[in-house]
Amino acid sequence: MTSVGARGATADLLHTISDYSANYLQDPRTEHTGSAVDRSELRRRLAPPLPRNGVDARTVLGELIEHGEPGLLHSGAPTFLGFVMGGAYPVAVATEWLTSVWDQCGALYATSPTASVVEEAVSRWLITLFGLPAHTSVGITTGCATANLTGLAAARHHVLAAQGWDVERDGLIGAPAPRILVSEGCHVTVHRALRLLGLAGQVRTVETDDQGRMCVRALEGELSRTSGPLIVCGQVGNVDSGAVDPLADVCDLAHEYDGWVHLDAAFGMWAAASAPVRSHVSGLERADSWATDAHKWLNVPYDCGIVLCAHPTSHRAALRTSAEYLTPAADGGRDPVDYTPDMSRRARSLVLWATLRHLGVDGVAELIDRGCNHARRLAAGLAHTDGVTVVNDVVLNQVLVAFTPDERSTDAEHLARIVATLQRGPVAWASPTTWRGRPCLRLSVCNWQTTSDDIDECIAAIVSAHRDAGARLHTLIEEFA
């Protein structure tokens, strides 16, 4: 096939997918959150042996749509409350298409001048939105897990360099042993990042309060009992309760000991863009590095994360790589590859640029305000139901709910029946967690499409699932008897 023919074939396939996508997005079924697909059936349809001879492209796409669509989780539905998953703004979806069509490697200025300059612009916008120091460096990653890894790599470099140790050159064997103090409620990706960085054996957890906030007195105690280069890991938005550590106190105390503060802020970082809730993240700007996601509350498609660092020299020193075959930016200009672990990466900065420019400062603030208001409405609606307790102080977009079951059922059994009902149903898909030993339902509101009516539908569905769980138990007991 000639290059002209290949481009024509690509265009034809894109028209096909465009038509399908338009229909899919308008299909009422995509508003239903539940899925009852069987794993074995998906495997039968999607995981046959690889054919010896290739299959026509149009046939391949048709098979993927036919067999794959039943296994989709409609996390973009406005009544989806599971994990912390946003939807995707139309401009973000369209820009993702454009990103694939342009197919730019966003590693170097040389591999994509447009992507490189766009990332510079996005970096400035984000620094301003979050109220961080103007010199802060930024990297665009796959998600908050990689952003945590990157920020903590910069932290490791910085605190060991202060002791005269070059970890990038000499490794960790023989290095001064750092102390890593981690909030008890920090996300699992923080611990995984520390493990990958060879620091797992140095981790000590710091006690949190009943909302999941780091206790400053407990941090003081750990600092007085330990010694060595210091990294403190805090959280901005507990993944269950939404609680935020006392950031100013944590940062001030860690800095007294010449420590580095890294904040896991996967969704809570965006509260800084909103005047009504900004007070909950007061002191954010005092940290040394931050990790957040754009595919959560900013509502861009998966995957897109962001790492920010108040020490650009340490950030770049921890990640920078060079080779004779790589062309550095002229005049010492910025190359994106120096700020993230990956080299071959798509130009994620484009979708961030388009979404932020589309929303503007006020649009981002309104998105965050709306999510927080909906979370408060959700909590208030559930709190007035017998047997339902809102466990957390609703400060951002997370609502944590516990249920009181019939005396013949345990909390875990009752919650399992509620979760099964919600995950099969059309409204209020949600996932369970355990909060301080008690089984709870974890609800997150962060979709740009969600309305007050959607929240009221979710309240009704959760209350109904709670009542039905008790009724089903009575029916089973009577049938057994």
Side-chain angles (χ1 to χ4, degrees), residues 64-402:
L64 181 58
I65 290 169
E66 179 185 357
H67 303 321
E69 191 179 285
L72 299 180
L73 182 64
H74 294 147
S75 56
T79 59
F80 185 90
L81 302 176
F83 306 108
V84 191
M85 292 182 174
Y89 276 108
V91 70
V93 174
T95 307
E96 278 291 343
W97 277 26
L98 185 60
T99 301
S100 293
V101 170
W102 282 354
D103 192 27
Q104 298 290 283
C105 174
L108 304 167
Y109 178 86
T111 58
S112 181
T114 292
S116 181
V117 171
V118 163
E119 189 161 322
E120 289 179 8
V122 164
S123 298
R124 290 196 300 272
W125 295 349
L126 290 169
I127 290 166
T128 301
L129 271 176
F130 296 144
L132 303 183
H135 61 267
T136 299
S137 54
V138 179
I140 311 301
T141 69
T142 55
C144 199
T146 306
N148 277 323
L149 177 67
T150 306
L152 288 167
R156 184 184 66 172
H157 168 89
H158 190 90
V159 299
L160 289 180
Q163 301 292 314
W165 188 269
D166 187 336
V167 68
E168 285 73 37
R169 183 190 64 200
D170 300 327
L172 283 172
I173 297 175
R179 47 181 167 163
I180 317 294
L181 305 183
V182 178
S183 173
E184 217 170 39
C186 260
H187 196 268
V188 65
T189 57
V190 171
H191 292 277
R192 183 169 64 179
L194 292 167
R195 189 171 75 238
L196 292 172
L197 291 167
L199 300 174
Q202 310 304 126
V203 174
R204 299 173 68 95
T205 57
V206 180
E207 180 186 347
T208 56
D209 66 14
D210 64 339
Q211 293 296 309
R213 296 173 294 235
M214 185 187 290
C215 294
V216 175
R217 183 169 294 180
L219 176 61
E220 289 177 328
E222 290 293 342
L223 288 170
S224 68
R225 289 189 293 271
T226 58
S227 61
L230 173 66
I231 300 172
V232 176
C233 301
Q235 60 179 344
V236 184
N238 180 283
V239 75
D240 286 326
S241 71
V244 178
D245 287 343
L247 302 178
D249 291 339
V250 169
C251 291
D252 288 348
L253 186 56
H255 290 158
E256 284 180 21
Y257 286 77
D258 297 322
W260 176 294
V261 178
H262 173 77
L263 297 179
D264 173 62
F267 61 92
M269 191 89 176
W270 297 94
S274 160
V277 294
R278 189 177 298 138
S279 61
H280 292 301
V281 296
S282 177
L284 181 79
E285 73 286 350
R286 301 190 196 183
D288 299 281
S289 58
W290 307 261
T292 190
D293 275 318
H295 55 230
K296 287 185 170 67
W297 219 343
L298 189 62
N299 282 240
V300 308
Y302 277 85
D303 53 24
C304 188
I306 305 158
V307 60
L308 307 102
C309 184
H311 305 273
T313 301
S314 294
H315 186 176
R316 193 163 182 256
L319 276 297
R320 190 183 180 211
T321 188
S322 62
E324 295 297 330
Y325 49 82
L326 297 178
T327 305
D331 303 321
R334 183 184 187 278
D335 276 320
V337 71
D338 290 340
Y339 299 93
T340 63
D342 50 349
M343 181 173 289
S344 298
R345 62 188 182 100
R346 66 190 282 106
R348 291 186 187 89
S349 57
L350 301 181
V351 72
L352 271 173
W353 186 93
T355 305
L356 289 170
R357 185 160 174 77
H358 171 66
L359 291 175
V361 173
D362 291 345
V364 174
E366 193 274 336
L367 170 67
I368 303 309
D369 294 345
R370 187 160 21 102
C372 294
N373 289 337
H374 286 332
R376 288 192 288 270
R377 184 185 185 96
L378 178 62
L382 293 172
H384 297 299
T385 303
D386 290 342
V388 180
T389 304
V390 176
V391 175
N392 66 319
D393 297 334
V394 181
V395 294
L396 298 178
N397 62 328
Q398 301 295 105
V399 181
L400 195 60
V401 182

